[in-house]
Amino acid sequence: MILGIETSSAIASVAVGNDKEIRSELIVQAGLTHSEQLVPHIEMVLTTGKVKKSDITGIAVTIGPGSFTGLRIGLGTAKALAYAWNVPVVGVLTTDVLAQGFMYSNYRVCTVVDAQKKQVYARQYAWNGATMDAVDSVEVHQVTELLTSLVKLCEECPVVIVGDGLKRLEKEYALGIEEGRIDPIKLVLGHESKQRPRASHAIQVALPQFGSNNIPDAQSIEPFYIRKSEAEVVWDEKNKDMLATGTYIEPTVVVREAAGER
């Protein structure tokens, strides 16, 4: 059995399953308080699914893009459990997990994750008859820029947009329909139930890697942020002169053993 953990947004998801079934799944509006609720939710899913901790053979966890805090909590929990249970961890992209909900679709699937500042992280996928294939890389897009490119793409194939970043596009989308720039028959907004990545889909995305010998050490997996956090941006701006001239020196910590009494 694989434990799936999804904490990239305000709605958390935990599931247990394998290649044959999803035994149990819990989806909760956590409000980014994952640190308080994640472990109890995992316990609940194991109990309702009648899965023992000893039955878990691996952990699938979303690594981003998404909420910086949520991703750190989810991945940190996955690493801690992997160490305690002695099982491997596979990190999967949030966009891959979103696209998994559209298997067998003849639409081009554009996954969008809220990036704040009127921007979204976006990636496109297409069903190849067996899996959802990514057709580009994950990038940060301005909302208007992305919609313009998707409208043009609709001339070649119908497009469905899915993900919590959709709320960033809705105003421009509605305006586009009003002005006749967007054909709602071809450019479709994904159903609300598919706007959030699910832990059960994270398990499905990770299964091929669990079946291979290409599983990295759990402690080496890092969140996929794409861009720096706001705190890092502010720090870089304050220290840009030192960084530009190469005069910035990384701080070092020196630990000395205190002399004992004689």
Side-chain angles (χ1 to χ4, degrees):
M1 281 287 168
I2 304 298
L3 170 67
I5 298 174
E6 203 305 291
T7 56
S8 66
S9 71
I11 296 181
S13 178
V14 182
V16 284
N18 53 27
D19 59 342
K20 297 180 177 61
E21 63 176 343
I22 296 299
R23 186 73 63 82
S24 178
E25 182 171 25
L26 177 66
I27 302 173
V28 180
Q29 175 72 48
L32 297 178
T33 59
H34 305 306
S35 59
E36 302 171 8
Q37 303 181 40
L38 184 55
V39 172
H41 289 166
I42 291 172
E43 294 281 359
M44 187 182 302
V45 165
L46 293 177
T47 300
T48 56
K50 297 181 180 180
V51 176
K52 299 176 182 177
K53 294 176 182 178
S54 57
D55 295 330
I56 300 298
T57 58
I59 301 173
V61 59
T62 47
I63 59 172
S67 158
F68 286 19
T69 301
L71 294 173
R72 285 195 295 269
I73 292 170
L75 184 53
T77 301
K79 289 181 177 182
L81 293 177
Y83 178 81
W85 297 345
N86 192 29
V87 296
V89 175
V90 168
V92 293
L93 294 179
T94 310
T95 52
D96 289 355
V97 176
L98 280 166
Q100 190 71 10
F102 288 82
M103 293 189 299
Y104 309 107
S105 172
N106 62 351
Y107 278 66
R108 174 68 62 83
V109 178
C110 180
T111 58
V112 288
V113 177
D114 189 3
Q116 306 297 322
K117 301 179 180 179
K118 298 182 180 180
Q119 297 177 327
V120 291
Y121 304 113
R123 193 179 202 184
Q124 295 181 26
Y125 296 80
W127 176 248
N128 69 4
T131 59
M132 293 298 293
D133 283 351
V135 299
D136 58 7
S137 58
V138 183
E139 295 182 0
V140 180
H141 292 269
Q142 293 288 342
V143 167
T144 52
E145 166 203 324
L146 178 63
L147 272 174
T148 298
S149 67
L150 292 179
V151 169
K152 185 176 182 180
L153 180 61
C154 280
E155 297 173 3
E156 304 173 15
C157 61
V159 178
V160 60
I161 309 172
V162 59
D164 71 347
L166 188 56
K167 65 185 179 183
R168 298 285 173 190
L169 281 75
E170 285 176 331
K171 183 176 181 180
E172 179 63 25
Y173 178 86
L175 182 61
I177 292 177
E178 183 179 320
E179 296 177 348
R181 293 184 289 107
I182 297 176
D183 181 351
I185 297 176
K186 292 184 178 179
L187 187 58
V188 179
L189 305 187
H191 190 272
E192 186 178 355
S193 64
K194 294 187 177 182
Q195 292 308 319
R196 306 287 181 170
R198 295 177 55 171
S200 56
H201 290 161
I203 292 173
Q204 294 170 353
V205 172
L207 279 172
Q209 194 167 343
F210 279 118
S212 71
N213 294 320
N214 185 30
I215 301 180
D217 175 71
Q219 302 309 315
S220 68
I221 302 174
E222 297 293 336
F224 182 58
Y225 293 140
I226 301 183
R227 67 184 185 190
K228 294 180 179 180
S229 67
E230 191 65 27
E232 291 175 304
V233 171
V234 171
W235 188 93
D236 287 349
E237 179 62 26
K238 288 182 177 179
N239 296 276
K240 61 182 179 182
D241 292 338
M242 289 189 295
L243 291 171
T245 59
T247 56
Y248 174 74
I249 301 175
E250 286 283 351
T252 57
V253 178
V254 177
V255 179
R256 294 189 176 90
E257 184 176 352
E261 294 183 3
R262 298 186 179 182

